[in-house]
């Protein structure tokens, strides 16, 4: 049996690791990802200020996988009904069971000039570019604008403001948000804590400030005003990948078709109680065990010659343990009903990335990451 996992992010890699332990050695597990490494994406913003972090948060798949095979190929199309995927260059791949875990891309919404003039924050290379652009901005008038005040935008603004302080640069950081409040999808007490952290670091927050267009020097807003800039970072939304542009909806079993599941950011997952799970790393990681059990059960059923009824599948139950957002050297953490700021929140922040790495078997990298965080 061939099991294909398309995407090696927070959903795909933990899924592959579980399948390695769950499936018989005779099954072929293939991970398709166009990068040679797995990236701890919730730490990518740190590279803006700490470029050495890049090594600690990128782990070669060859060092993690145990039995599964990695093919460094870009997936351009997936037909879950036919169980066929198309790779860049036109090669087609068939599979007996598959998982779509390709994640998401930055959405530019067709806004005139934004894609051309703004840098997103999805990869380590993006963070490096943002860092380089920041130093150029410091040499100019120091006007840095971040579009989008979700988790990524808040963390990017925090790092850029901290970098300006460290470099003793005369710079301003402005955070634009189209919604009436920052972090619009977060709990209200977390939003308040984040606003206080941002304000304490001198970051100018403008809500109700939707971007309509941009050129090489200015950003136009919905209210008719114009914002000049020397650096423009865009974290204004998410969209599906080229292979799965529409982010399909799946039930709590994660089943998209007969033998294909979809999970993580690549899908809109409704849990056992009808709740729509948010597109977060925490969600993706916790969906992986459900997907692994269901694929293993379906394959076992197929190996038995399809006798009797299909197995009862596991169902995903959304359980958000908390929220954690760093703002420069500070952080805001919501753990249950408790909101933490300052050293307590920073301590939680340091443990999360290292803890995740140990779950996927990258213990050495976990130690390195913790060392970088404690620097």
């Amino acid at each position: 049996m061939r099991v294909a996992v398309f995407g090696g992010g927070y959903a795909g890699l933990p899924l592959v690791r579980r399948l390695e332990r769950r499936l018989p050695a005779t099954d072929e597990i293939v991970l398709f990802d166009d990068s040679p490494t797995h990236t701890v994406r919730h730490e990518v913003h740190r590279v803006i200020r700490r470029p050495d972090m890049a090594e600690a948060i990128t782990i070669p798949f060859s060092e993690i996988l145990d039995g599964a095979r990695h093919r460094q190929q870009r997936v351009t199309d997936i037909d879950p009904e036919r169980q066929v995927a198309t790779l860049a260059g036109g090669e087609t791949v068939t599979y007996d069971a598959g998982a779509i875990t390709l994640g998401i891309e930055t959405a530019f919404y067709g806004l005139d000039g934004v894609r051309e003039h703004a840098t997103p924050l999805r990869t380590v290379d993006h963070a490096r570019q943002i860092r380089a652009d920041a130093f150029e901005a410091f040499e100019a008038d120091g006007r840095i604008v971040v579009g989008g005040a979700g988790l990524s935008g808040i963390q990017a603004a925090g790092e850029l403001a901290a970098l300006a302080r460290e470099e003793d640069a005369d710079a301003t950081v402005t955070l634009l948000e189209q919604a009436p409040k920052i972090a619009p999808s977060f709990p209200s007490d977390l939003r308040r804590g984040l606003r206080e952290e941002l304000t304490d670091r001198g970051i100018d927050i403008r809500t109700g400030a939707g971007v309509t267009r941009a050129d090489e020097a200015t950003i136009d807003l919905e209210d008719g005003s114009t914002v000049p800039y020397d650096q423009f970072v865009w974290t204004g939304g998410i969209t599906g990948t080229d292979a799965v542009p529409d982010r399909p909806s799946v039930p709590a079993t994660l089943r998209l078709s007969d033998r294909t599941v979809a999970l993580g950011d690549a899908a809109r997952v409704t849990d056992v109680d009808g709740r729509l799970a948010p597109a977060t790393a925490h969600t993706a990681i916790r969906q992986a065990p459900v997907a692994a059990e269901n694929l293993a059960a379906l394959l076992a059923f197929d190996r038995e010659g399809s006798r009797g009824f299909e197995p009862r599948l596991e169902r995903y139950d959304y359980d958000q343990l908390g929220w954690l957002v760093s703002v420069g050297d500070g952080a805001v953490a919501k753990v249950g009903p408790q909101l933490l700021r300052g050293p307590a929140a920073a301590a939680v922040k340091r443990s999360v990335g290292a803890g995740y790495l140990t779950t996927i078997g990258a213990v050495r990298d976990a130690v390195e990451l913790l060392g970088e965080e404690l620097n």
Side-chain angles (χ1 to χ4, degrees), residues 48 126-138 163 231:
I48 295 172
H126 289 153
R128 287 173 173 148
Q129 185 62 55
I130 291 169
R131 175 180 172 85
D133 292 346
F135 280 97
E136 291 188 11
F138 296 160
L163 180 62
Q231 178 182 13

Side-chain angles (χ1 to χ4, degrees), residues 17 37 66 134 190 192 212 254 306 326 363 373:
R17 296 291 285 151
T37 61
D66 182 19
L190 183 64
R192 287 193 297 270
T212 59
L254 310 178
S306 301
S326 63
V363 177
E373 286 278 12

Side-chain angles (χ1 to χ4, degrees), residues 111-115 117-119 143-148 173-177 206 209-235:
L111 297 171
D112 183 26
V114 174
R115 183 187 292 272
H117 298 292
T119 304
R143 298 166 301 187
I144 299 172
V145 178
V146 178
V173 178
T174 301
L175 184 60
L176 304 177
E177 171 55 47
R206 294 185 62 177
V211 173
T212 59
R213 65 173 300 279
D215 58 27
E216 68 278 359
T218 60
I219 301 165
D220 292 346
L221 303 182
E222 291 175 344
D223 63 5
S225 63
T226 298
V227 180
Y229 74 90
D230 299 295
Q231 178 182 13
F232 186 17
V233 177
W234 180 256
T235 61

Side-chain angles (χ1 to χ4, degrees), residues 8 37 41 53 57 64 116 156 179 181 198 215 275 288 323 355 363:
T37 61
R41 288 194 185 274
M53 285 282 290
I57 64 172
I64 309 173
E116 292 78 11
K181 299 178 181 178
L198 291 165
D215 58 27
R275 296 171 293 188
W323 299 96
V363 177

Side-chain angles (χ1 to χ4, degrees), residues 56-286:
I57 64 172
T58 52
I59 307 99
F61 287 117
S62 60
E63 294 183 5
I64 309 173
L65 301 182
D66 182 19
R69 181 163 59 96
H70 169 230
R71 287 196 61 184
Q72 190 177 341
Q73 295 276 354
R74 184 170 66 89
V75 182
T76 60
D77 184 69
I78 301 174
D79 186 335
E81 300 294 339
R82 295 175 53 228
Q83 296 170 205
V84 175
T86 304
L87 308 181
E91 179 186 354
T92 58
V93 176
T94 61
Y95 58 87
D96 297 292
I100 298 174
T101 60
L102 287 168
I104 50 177
E105 300 292 343
T106 301
F108 293 94
Y109 304 112
L111 297 171
D112 183 26
V114 174
R115 183 187 292 272
E116 292 78 11
H117 298 292
T119 304
L121 180 57
R122 292 286 304 157
T123 68
V124 167
D125 285 343
H126 289 153
R128 287 173 173 148
Q129 185 62 55
I130 291 169
R131 175 180 172 85
D133 292 346
F135 280 97
E136 291 188 11
F138 296 160
E139 293 298 320
D141 293 324
R143 298 166 301 187
I144 299 172
V145 178
V146 178
L151 184 147
S152 292
I154 289 169
Q155 294 186 142
E159 292 299 314
L160 287 163
L163 180 62
R165 287 195 301 274
E166 290 177 358
E167 298 298 323
D168 197 25
D170 184 14
T172 61
V173 178
T174 301
L175 184 60
L176 304 177
E177 171 55 47
Q178 183 180 36
K181 299 178 181 178
I182 65 167
S185 63
F186 291 165
S188 58
D189 54 348
L190 183 64
R191 288 200 303 268
R192 287 193 297 270
L194 288 170
R195 176 175 278 277
E196 291 171 6
E197 286 285 334
L198 291 165
T199 302
D200 288 349
R201 284 158 178 75
I203 297 169
D204 177 31
I205 303 168
R206 294 185 62 177
T207 54
V211 173
T212 59
R213 65 173 300 279
D215 58 27
E216 68 278 359
T218 60
I219 301 165
D220 292 346
L221 303 182
E222 291 175 344
D223 63 5
S225 63
T226 298
V227 180
Y229 74 90
D230 299 295
Q231 178 182 13
F232 186 17
V233 177
W234 180 256
T235 61
I238 61 173
T239 188
T241 61
D242 290 341
V244 191
D246 296 328
R247 297 184 65 220
S249 297
V250 295
T253 60
L254 310 178
R255 201 173 187 179
L256 179 61
S257 68
D258 190 40
R259 292 296 184 268
T260 304
V261 297
L263 58 150
D265 295 349
R268 293 180 173 89
V269 179
T270 302
D271 85 339
V272 66
D273 293 321
R275 296 171 293 188
L276 184 64
T280 66
H282 172 82
T283 297
I285 293 166
R286 292 179 70 85

Side-chain angles (χ1 to χ4, degrees), residues 346-366:
V348 175
K349 175 69 174 66
R350 294 187 184 107
S351 68
V352 169
Y356 165 69
L357 286 170
T358 60
T359 67
I360 59 172
V363 177
R364 176 181 59 81
D365 299 278

